[in-house]
């Protein structure tokens, strides 16, 4: 489901098929700002796919009003898109987009034939799967279903570039974990990580390795102008391994603090006890 970065997250207001009603959906056909943002993100996702030099068939997940699909068409590729909002699909149909449009919930996934697509993109849809919109909805299970179906329908070695707006570092971890458990390799790419407004997250994953060496994924996927990182923690994924590195500096030990304090007191010519093997050693507490 495509959307810009609203004040007050849309996914907290209503399920996507309700939030994106006729009024909200109409904005994606008339707002030049929204059209520009969606188009730029779709073009960036296409760059990250590292597609071979031929016409490819792509899957557009949460295709919305068809703006990302139009970027695919402009790049010379064919596409099929699906979305959970009937109103958004009506707008896409009215724009006479060249892709085929399907009504579907990403959390349930579509059963395409194995190896149908040469790649997949998604703009601002993935975070919706982290919500519990109905009784019985379990975000991790829905993510697993989504990635399992996606893995099957991609040809071997094909990539998916999924742009999303994570609310927390925990969401990033849950989404990444679900993708890896379904067989994907890859990781997170963050464009402009130090900018609160321009920052964009892309989950860039691939379905195994292609037998064609020229179509294998690059060893390093560079983020635009900056390193890959998250606000509170850096999530790096190489193959099927996950590494978490928390920021923080090493703290001085209790003994080091005591010794430093004694040195300071000596410099002030104060009376200080001599250092022994018992200095700064914690005493055992006596039972009362």
């Amino acid at each position: 489901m495509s959307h810009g970065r609203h004040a007050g997250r849309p996914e907290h207001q209503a399920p996507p098929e309700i939030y994106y009603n006729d009024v909200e959906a109409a904005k994606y056909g008339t707002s030049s700002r929204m059209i520009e943002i969606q188009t730029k993100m779709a073009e960036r996702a296409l760059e990250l796919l590292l597609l071979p030099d031929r016409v490819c068939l792509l899957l557009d997940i949460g295709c919305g009003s068809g703006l990302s699909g139009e970027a695919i068409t402009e790049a010379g590729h064919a596409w099929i898109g699906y979305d959970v909002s009937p109103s958004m699909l009506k707008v896409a149909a009215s724009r006479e987009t060249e892709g085929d449009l399907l009504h579907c919930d990403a959390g349930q996934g579509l059963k395409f034939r194995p190896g149908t697509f040469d790649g997949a993109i998604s703009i601002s849809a993935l975070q919706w799967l982290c919500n519990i919109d109905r009784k019985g909805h379990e975000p991790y299970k829905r993510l697993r279903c989504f990635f399992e179906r996606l893995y099957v329908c991609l040809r071997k070695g094909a990539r998916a570039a999924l742009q999303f707006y994570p609310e927390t570092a925990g969401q990033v971890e849950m989404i990444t974990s679900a993708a890896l458990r379904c067989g994907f390799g890859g990781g997170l790419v963050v464009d402009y990580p130090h900018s609160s407004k321009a920052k964009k997250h892309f989950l860039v994953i691939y379905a195994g390795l292609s037998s064609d060496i020229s179509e294998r994924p690059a060893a390093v996927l560079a983020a635009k102008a900056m390193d890959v990182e998250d606000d509170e923690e850096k999530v790096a994924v190489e193959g099927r391994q996950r590494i978490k590195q928390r920021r923080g500096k090493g703290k001085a030990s209790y003994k080091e603090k005591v010794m430093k304090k004694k040195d300071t007191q000596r410099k002030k010519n104060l009376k200080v006890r001599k250092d022994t093997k018992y200095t700064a050693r914690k005493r055992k507490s006596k039972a009362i």
Side-chain angles (χ1 to χ4, degrees):
M1 185 68 53
S2 303
H3 65 75
R5 215 166 189 177
H6 298 269
R9 298 177 68 91
E11 60 268 26
H12 288 175
Q13 297 176 40
E17 63 272 24
I18 295 173
Y19 179 84
Y20 289 101
N21 54 27
D22 290 346
V23 174
E24 190 68 24
K27 296 176 184 177
Y28 289 82
T30 56
S31 169
S32 58
R33 181 178 171 274
M34 283 186 178
I35 292 171
E36 183 184 3
I37 291 170
Q38 298 296 313
T39 302
K40 281 184 177 178
M41 289 194 292
E43 288 171 349
R44 175 60 172 149
L46 287 169
E47 283 178 14
L48 292 168
L49 289 184
L50 305 173
L51 293 168
D53 190 18
R54 58 177 173 81
V55 176
C56 296
L57 176 61
L58 304 180
L59 177 63
D60 186 359
I61 301 150
C63 63
S65 60
L67 293 173
S68 47
E70 287 177 359
I72 294 173
T73 300
E74 285 295 315
H77 302 295
W79 60 279
I80 294 173
Y82 71 76
D83 202 282
V84 73
S85 166
S87 296
M88 290 293 258
L89 291 171
K90 280 181 194 174
V91 174
S94 70
R95 292 172 65 89
E96 298 182 352
T97 54
E98 293 189 23
D100 292 327
L101 304 172
L102 302 168
H103 181 233
C104 175
D105 174 7
Q108 295 176 348
L110 277 174
K111 290 185 178 179
F112 291 102
R113 287 181 181 178
T116 297
F117 297 99
D118 298 302
I121 68 168
S122 179
I123 307 300
S124 311
L126 213 50
Q127 71 272 6
W128 288 90
L129 294 181
C130 296
N131 270 23
I132 301 172
D133 292 323
R134 288 195 181 89
K135 188 178 179 181
H137 271 192
E138 293 182 41
Y140 190 71
K141 281 188 177 180
R142 283 169 57 76
L143 283 164
R144 283 288 299 271
C145 178
F146 165 71
F147 284 116
E148 282 169 3
R149 298 279 168 84
L150 179 60
Y151 189 92
V152 171
C153 75
L154 290 174
R155 68 170 175 78
K156 194 173 182 182
R159 299 162 204 109
L162 315 173
Q163 183 275 328
F164 66 107
Y165 290 117
E167 187 172 9
T168 64
Q171 280 191 0
V172 175
E173 176 63 17
M174 179 169 67
I175 290 169
T176 305
S177 170
L180 297 180
R181 284 186 177 274
C182 293
F184 282 104
L188 190 68
V189 172
V190 183
D191 286 352
Y192 310 113
H194 300 298
S195 169
S196 58
K197 289 185 178 180
K199 186 175 187 177
K200 296 290 182 292
H201 293 76
F202 292 84
L203 183 65
V204 184
I205 50 180
Y206 56 90
L209 292 175
S210 171
S211 56
D212 184 347
I213 295 175
S214 66
E215 292 189 6
R216 288 189 181 182
V220 178
L221 286 168
K224 211 181 251 185
M226 283 293 182
D227 295 326
V228 175
E229 61 177 54
D230 192 64
D231 287 331
E232 300 169 343
E233 60 184 4
K234 184 180 198 178
V235 180
V237 184
E238 194 75 20
R240 293 179 60 85
Q241 294 182 335
R242 288 176 289 149
I243 303 168
K244 263 202 220 174
Q245 296 176 337
R246 293 201 177 272
R247 294 176 184 172
K249 296 178 181 178
K251 293 181 180 178
S253 67
Y254 174 70
K255 186 172 182 178
E256 286 171 342
K257 288 179 181 177
V258 171
M259 297 302 286
K260 187 176 180 181
K261 188 175 181 180
K262 290 179 78 174
D263 285 339
T264 304
Q265 289 174 337
R266 285 191 186 103
K267 286 175 184 176
K268 292 179 180 178
N269 294 319
L270 298 174
K271 265 192 174 183
V272 181
R273 287 186 180 183
K274 290 181 180 180
D275 295 336
T276 69
K277 64 179 181 179
Y278 300 105
T279 301
R281 183 179 290 185
K282 290 185 179 179
R283 297 181 182 182
K284 290 181 181 179
S285 55
K286 294 181 181 179
I288 298 171

